Amino acid sequence: MTWRRTASRGPERLRSLRRRLGKVEPVSVAGMALVWMLLFNGFRPREESLGLLVLGVLVSVLIMVLFPLPPVASGLRLRPWNTLRLVGRFCADLVRASLQVSRQVFTPGPPVRSSVIAVHLRSDSDLMLVCTSVLLSVIPGSVVIEVGHPERVLYLHVLGAVDREGTERARRIALNLEERIVRAIGTRRDIADLEAATRGEGP
């Protein structure tokens, strides 16, 4: 009886292992392997770099097999042309903002003043909220100091925005960035929410 029970468990364990291997996501494996290579300086040309890469992939697969996670819908829809436009415009904004901040800092005169403004985003997606917050914080002169999640509000500390014109310009830059992100990687629902809010039909 014990032998039969042990023998019957063998195929069940094999099927369980196959199910777990089937849930291994190549993108997640590649991401973890990339982190592995960065931790061990694996991108430096040397004899053991290839071995480190193989080991990183094996460790990543082992982690996903031993600790399987439930499937998560990322809600990401990559659109190549809009993504290129997003990257190009973001790089241009980085250069422009860097020049403006440098001019403000090194120009003789009174200290540069700043303001905290609230920006109401139009997309209801958490992913769009996070992406907009991160990219806005990367641009010199603006930092996200608080996120109002239920209301979809970003509170920005903006350098040099001391009047209505400056605050409106900063708010417009943030909303334009949100729109480019949504049109680059957002779902159809995200785009529909954005267009509805732009027409004044959304919340």
Side-chain angles (χ1 to χ4, degrees):
M1 182 69 67
T2 304
W3 178 83
R4 290 181 179 179
R5 187 177 303 171
T6 304
S8 63
R9 287 179 181 177
E12 292 180 2
R13 292 177 179 176
L14 184 59
R15 286 193 295 268
S16 176
L17 178 60
R18 288 178 178 176
R19 285 196 300 268
R20 294 194 177 192
L21 286 174
K23 294 181 180 180
V24 173
E25 300 179 1
V27 176
S28 300
V29 171
M32 288 190 286
L34 175 62
V35 174
W36 175 276
M37 294 292 286
L38 292 174
L39 288 175
F40 292 95
N41 198 16
F43 291 107
R44 189 178 66 183
R46 49 180 177 170
E47 294 181 357
E48 58 268 25
S49 294
L50 182 59
L52 280 173
L53 177 60
V54 174
L55 183 60
V57 171
L58 293 178
V59 170
S60 302
V61 172
L62 181 62
I63 290 175
M64 297 195 70
V65 170
L66 295 179
F67 307 101
L69 295 175
V72 178
S74 64
L76 185 106
R77 301 293 185 273
L78 186 65
R79 298 174 179 84
W81 173 244
N82 289 336
T83 301
L84 288 176
R85 293 180 60 186
L86 169 65
V87 173
R89 184 60 185 271
F90 179 71
C91 292
D93 288 342
L94 280 178
V95 174
R96 175 189 53 79
S98 300
L99 294 176
Q100 288 181 352
V101 171
S102 299
R103 183 183 60 196
Q104 291 171 350
V105 171
F106 292 106
T107 299
V112 181
R113 298 169 58 188
S114 58
S115 300
V116 175
I117 64 173
V119 180
H120 293 260
L121 300 183
R122 296 157 294 185
S123 173
D124 197 26
S125 169
D126 291 340
L127 179 61
M128 300 300 105
L129 177 68
V130 171
C131 291
T132 305
S133 303
V134 171
L135 293 187
L136 281 174
S137 297
V138 171
I139 296 176
S142 63
V143 177
V144 178
I145 59 176
E146 187 176 347
V147 177
H149 178 264
E151 304 84 9
R152 296 171 294 167
V153 179
L154 298 182
Y155 294 93
L156 297 177
H157 180 273
V158 183
L159 190 67
V162 296
D163 53 12
R164 183 178 181 84
E165 180 181 357
T167 56
E168 288 300 324
R169 181 170 58 253
R171 187 175 288 108
R172 187 168 58 252
I173 290 174
L175 292 177
N176 288 341
L177 178 60
E178 179 207 14
E179 180 176 359
R180 290 193 293 272
I181 292 173
V182 170
R183 295 191 182 280
I185 62 175
T187 62
R188 293 182 178 178
R189 180 179 177 181
D190 295 333
I191 297 177
D193 292 342
L194 175 71
E195 293 177 347
T198 303
R199 294 193 302 265
E201 300 173 2

